[in-house]
């Protein structure tokens, strides 16, 4: 489709796509891309420079040049916006039609409408997700399950969760839109379409266009988002500060710049979130070739009580409340099962996790399934009572040093054959589903997304690179990984039977080998995976 001058939309235009990809909306996207595309590329280049410095033996620390921002006790972020005052339980999920209805009806205070890690950036997912959000705001959305015949519809407006959209990270592109011959930023595509179509609708409902910002690595990347917000608001003639954004602190460089990130977004800030699975992925990625002091145990052995994770979450709450911002806790990925024994153990773990978070001062937390909303709310109700949040708990007793954030070697746990097998199994299953268009996958009673797949494949790469000896077996080598890969694939084939998709799993195996066995580490597995997607 030829858009405004200099813009080409190459993705197929299915039914109703013209309602989202209007000439005015596409022109707005082009304005954002032309203004900010070059700065985005410059900031991505800075990530590469920082990684090279770390790989050569460098370290991370609080920035001396931004000390005045941290030392100035007078500034605060904007007051919470309507619909974001009470965030005691938030549900996450992709923007397909059924999930949109279920998430809004779930009883959660907030729905993270995900175009990122719980979504596959298939062209149809990206455009139809925008349609679903618009239909939800217009209350014209419904869904009938073709298998069960069950119908889904929205509850009354006052009972619905507040929509907070998570666009793709700065590193991802939308290959189906070219602006002046250059591929468009996926972040700006997702943000721009939702903002363009939602801002008036949300303001009419007494709320606003709200966002979750993923994968940032510096306050300069937050500054870029803030400039995007200002231009977008000016273009559509709404007051600056109408947009609100919560930043996921899910990279270890960002953990050293939390206050600066809040400062850059202060007029648009809705707080910070402890994106813990991506944070683990970032720790592995940033220090992947720095020797055994930076090698973590298998992922299922790493808990939030590990010293470096404890330092990260304590600092996040302290930082947010010092600046008047919300601190939102991490994901409970468990999916309720028909097996009551599995449920009993898992619910106890989730309750302990949410109890720790609420006791630490978090203002709310995440769940991945509607069946976990009540438990999370119950735990936070016990601490909050009638209060909407606990931003008044300043946690002034918390002090966290750079050494505390980098205490990776103090993490207890082993690396076993079972852990290696689990990483391979989860990554294979997830990649096969991702390549088929699904980004949130139920695997072994857990909702897995791109973050957990990234951890799984990154750990395998790191264990090979660092000649790790399994606690109960041989050294991790490429040959051992290929052997276990074949064995796990055979188990999956037997388990799925006639549902096993041979071509899809063949693609998944090829991609898994590419991102685990190659000498050069792939920064994101979603980048080569996206190249394989139509």
């Amino acid at each position: 489709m030829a858009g405004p001058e200099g813009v080409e939309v190459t993705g197929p235009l299915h039914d109703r796509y013209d309602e989202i990809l209007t000439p005015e909306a596409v022109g707005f996207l082009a304005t954002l891309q032309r203004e900010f595309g070059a700065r985005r590329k410059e900031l991505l280049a800075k990530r590469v420079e920082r990684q090279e410095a770390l790989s050569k033996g460098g370290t991370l620390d609080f920035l001396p040049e931004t000390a005045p921002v941290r030392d100035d006790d007078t500034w605060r972020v904007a007051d919470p916006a309507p619909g974001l005052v009470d965030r005691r339980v938030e549900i996450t999920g992709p923007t397909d039609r059924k999930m949109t209805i279920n998430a809004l009806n779930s009883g959660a205070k907030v729905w993270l409408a995900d175009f990122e890690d719980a979504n596959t950036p298939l062209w149809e997912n990206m455009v139809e997700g925008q349609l679903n959000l618009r239909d939800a705001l217009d209350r014209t959305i419904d869904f009938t399950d073709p298998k069960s015949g069950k119908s889904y519809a929205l509850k009354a407006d006052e009972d619905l969760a507040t929509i907070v959209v998570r666009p793709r990270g700065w590193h991802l592109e939308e290959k189906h839109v070219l602006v002046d011959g250059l591929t468009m930023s996926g972040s700006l595509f997702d943000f721009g379409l939702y903002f363009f179509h939602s801002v008036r609708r949300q303001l009419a409902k007494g709320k606003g266009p709200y966002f979750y910002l993923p994968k940032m690595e510096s306050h300069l990347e937050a500054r870029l988002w803030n400039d995007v917000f200002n231009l977008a608001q000016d273009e559509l003639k709404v007051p600056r500060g109408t947009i609100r954004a919560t930043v996921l602190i899910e990279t270890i460089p960002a953990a050293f710049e939390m206050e600066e990130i809040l400062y850059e977004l202060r007029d648009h800030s809705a707080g910070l979130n402890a994106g813990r699975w991506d944070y683990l992925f970032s720790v592995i990625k940033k220090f992947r070739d720095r020797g055994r002091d930076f090698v973590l145990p298998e992922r299922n052995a790493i808990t939030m009580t590990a010293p470096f994770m404890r330092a990260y979450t304590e600092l996040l709450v302290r930082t947010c409340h010092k600046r008047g911002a919300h601190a939102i806790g991490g994901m409970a990925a468990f999916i309720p099962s028909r097996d009551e024994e599995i449920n009993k153990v898992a619910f106890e773990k989730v309750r302990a996790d949410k109890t720790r978070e609420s006791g630490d001062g978090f203002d709310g937390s995440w769940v991945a399934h509607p069946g976990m909303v009540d438990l999370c709310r119950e735990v936070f109700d016990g601490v909050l009572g009638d209060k909407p949040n606990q931003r008044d708990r300043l946690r002034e007793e918390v002090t966290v040093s750079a050494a505390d954030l980098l205490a990776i070697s103090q993490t207890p746990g082993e690396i076993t054959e079972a852990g290696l097998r689990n990483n391979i199994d989860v990554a294979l299953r997830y990649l096969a589903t991702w390549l088929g268009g699904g980004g949130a996958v139920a695997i072994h009673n857990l909702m897995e997304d791109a973050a957990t797949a990234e951890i799984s494949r990154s750990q395998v790469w790191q264990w090979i690179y660092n000649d790790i000896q399994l606690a109960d077996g041989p050294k991790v080598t490429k040959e051992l990984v290929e052997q276990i890969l074949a064995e796990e694939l055979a188990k999956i084939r037997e388990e799925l039977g006639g549902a096993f998709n041979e071509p899809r799993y063949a693609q998944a195996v090829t991609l898994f080998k590419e991102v685990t066995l190659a000498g050069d580490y792939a920064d994101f597995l979603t980048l080569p995976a996206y190249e394989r997607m139509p």
Side-chain angles (χ1 to χ4, degrees):
M1 173 186 108
E5 186 176 352
V7 183
E8 184 180 4
V9 178
T10 63
L13 299 178
H14 302 302
D15 184 42
R16 298 186 64 204
Y17 280 32
D18 59 336
E19 297 177 31
I20 293 296
L21 298 168
T22 64
E24 295 79 11
V26 174
F28 179 67
L29 295 181
T31 297
L32 296 177
Q33 177 64 22
R34 286 171 176 145
E35 182 68 26
F36 301 111
R39 268 180 67 189
R40 166 184 166 260
K41 289 289 183 70
E42 290 169 4
L43 290 170
L44 292 176
K46 288 185 180 295
R47 290 186 183 182
V48 175
E49 292 172 9
R50 176 178 258 171
Q51 181 62 60
E52 289 173 350
L54 289 174
S55 294
K56 291 176 181 176
T59 190
L60 297 170
D61 205 343
F62 299 101
L63 302 178
E65 62 268 30
T66 55
V69 171
R70 298 192 299 276
D71 294 340
D72 181 355
D73 290 333
T74 62
W75 64 269
R76 298 289 184 275
V77 303
D79 290 335
L84 294 179
V85 178
D86 186 334
R87 303 174 63 177
R88 67 189 67 198
V89 53
E90 303 190 353
I91 190 168
T92 73
T95 54
D96 62 85
R97 211 156 180 85
K98 180 179 176 181
M99 181 65 196
T100 296
I101 297 170
N102 283 345
L104 290 172
N105 287 343
S106 66
K109 293 290 187 180
V110 166
W111 170 39
L112 184 154
D114 200 3
F115 286 104
E116 203 228 6
D117 271 4
N119 173 68
T120 301
L122 194 68
W123 172 246
E124 287 75 9
N125 289 353
M126 308 317 292
V127 180
E128 290 168 22
Q130 297 281 354
L131 266 169
N132 294 338
L133 291 173
R134 202 190 70 169
D135 286 351
L137 291 173
D138 291 344
R139 296 196 62 87
T140 59
I141 192 170
D142 56 23
F143 177 75
T144 300
D145 191 313
K147 293 182 179 178
S148 67
K150 183 178 179 181
S151 294
Y152 299 81
L154 292 177
K155 296 178 181 177
D157 272 349
E158 60 269 20
D159 297 324
L160 301 182
T162 297
I163 296 172
V164 181
V165 166
R166 179 162 69 170
R168 281 169 284 185
W170 282 130
H171 62 289
L172 292 168
E173 297 186 339
E174 178 45 69
K175 63 185 177 183
H176 298 94
V177 179
L178 302 177
V179 178
D180 302 327
L182 300 176
T183 307
M184 178 164 192
S185 158
S187 304
L188 296 178
F189 178 87
D190 301 339
F191 160 78
L193 284 180
Y194 179 69
F195 179 75
F196 185 89
H197 290 291
S198 77
V199 60
R200 304 294 177 191
R201 290 174 166 86
Q202 286 286 30
L203 289 173
K205 292 176 179 292
K207 295 183 178 179
Y210 305 144
F211 297 90
Y212 255 112
L213 304 179
K215 304 287 189 296
M216 281 198 279
E217 296 195 9
S218 77
H219 71 285
L220 297 179
E221 296 180 17
R223 182 180 298 171
L224 176 56
W225 268 120
N226 198 69
D227 291 344
V228 169
F229 294 164
N230 282 333
L231 178 66
Q233 290 164 135
D234 293 348
E235 285 285 315
L236 295 192
K237 296 180 171 53
V238 296
R240 291 188 175 190
T242 299
I243 294 171
R244 295 301 171 86
T246 306
V247 173
L248 294 113
I249 301 298
E250 53 185 356
T251 70
I252 191 167
F256 289 87
E257 301 183 36
M258 291 188 203
E259 288 198 75
E260 294 91 331
I261 287 170
L262 285 177
Y263 181 80
E264 295 293 344
L265 286 159
R266 60 194 179 280
D267 295 331
H268 298 106
S269 179
L272 304 178
N273 167 273
R276 56 201 188 189
W277 304 129
D278 267 301
Y279 190 78
L280 283 175
F281 163 47
S282 175
V283 168
I284 297 166
K285 175 164 68 173
K286 292 301 177 187
F287 297 103
R288 59 186 181 258
D289 49 9
R290 290 288 297 278
R292 299 190 180 203
D293 283 347
F294 291 93
V295 174
L296 287 165
E298 59 198 50
R299 72 182 186 112
N300 289 342
I302 306 168
T303 70
M304 295 306 296
T305 60
F308 81 102
M309 295 298 282
R310 191 89 183 110
Y312 148 67
T313 55
E314 290 276 83
L315 180 61
L316 190 147
V317 174
R318 168 78 175 94
T319 300
C320 285
H321 290 181
K322 176 183 178 183
R323 303 303 181 179
H326 279 75
I328 307 300
M331 172 69 79
F334 179 70
I335 302 169
S337 165
R338 294 179 181 177
D339 187 321
E340 288 306 315
E341 281 305 308
I342 290 176
N343 281 350
K344 181 180 178 182
V345 173
F347 270 68
E348 287 175 358
K349 288 182 179 179
V350 172
R351 182 178 295 278
D353 182 54
K354 301 309 175 191
T355 299
R356 175 190 52 74
E357 287 183 328
S358 61
D360 285 347
F362 280 97
D363 301 292
S365 192
W366 279 10
V367 299
H369 190 277
M372 303 305 296
V373 168
D374 287 347
L375 187 154
C376 185
R377 184 197 300 111
E378 177 190 330
V379 171
F380 274 87
D381 283 351
V383 171
L384 293 174
D386 294 332
K387 291 171 53 180
N389 53 65
Q390 48 185 340
R391 291 182 301 130
D392 57 345
R393 278 195 65 194
L394 299 182
R395 298 302 312 275
E396 291 176 331
E397 76 281 7
V398 170
T399 57
V400 174
S401 67
D404 294 329
L405 290 171
L406 294 170
I408 296 161
S409 63
Q410 297 177 26
T411 308
E414 294 182 323
I415 301 172
T416 65
E417 182 178 321
L420 176 59
R421 286 183 178 277
N422 183 68
N423 277 348
I424 293 172
D425 171 75
V426 167
L428 263 187
R429 292 175 188 265
Y430 183 80
L431 286 173
T433 306
W434 196 96
L435 291 164
V441 188
I443 302 174
H444 310 316
N445 295 114
L446 294 175
M447 189 65 77
E448 305 282 12
D449 66 8
T452 46
E454 292 281 28
I455 294 170
S456 296
R457 65 95 183 182
S458 297
Q459 284 203 315
V460 175
W461 189 98
Q462 189 183 36
W463 295 343
I464 294 171
Y465 185 91
N466 289 281
D467 296 321
I468 295 301
Q469 184 88 26
L470 295 175
D472 55 353
K475 184 186 295 183
V476 182
T477 62
K478 291 181 181 180
E479 292 74 22
L480 178 65
V481 169
E482 290 197 275
Q483 173 194 324
I484 293 177
L485 177 62
E487 292 168 358
E488 294 303 310
L489 181 65
K491 292 178 185 176
I492 295 170
R493 182 183 286 108
E494 182 178 358
E495 175 193 324
L496 295 180
F500 183 81
N501 187 320
E502 193 74 51
R504 185 80 42 72
Y505 269 93
Q507 269 192 307
V509 167
T510 300
L511 181 55
F512 179 82
K513 288 181 178 180
E514 182 179 327
V515 297
T516 56
L517 302 182
D520 292 332
Y521 178 87
D523 278 344
F524 294 94
L525 66 79
T526 47
L527 294 177
Y530 188 44
E531 292 174 4
R532 289 167 165 79
M533 186 167 283

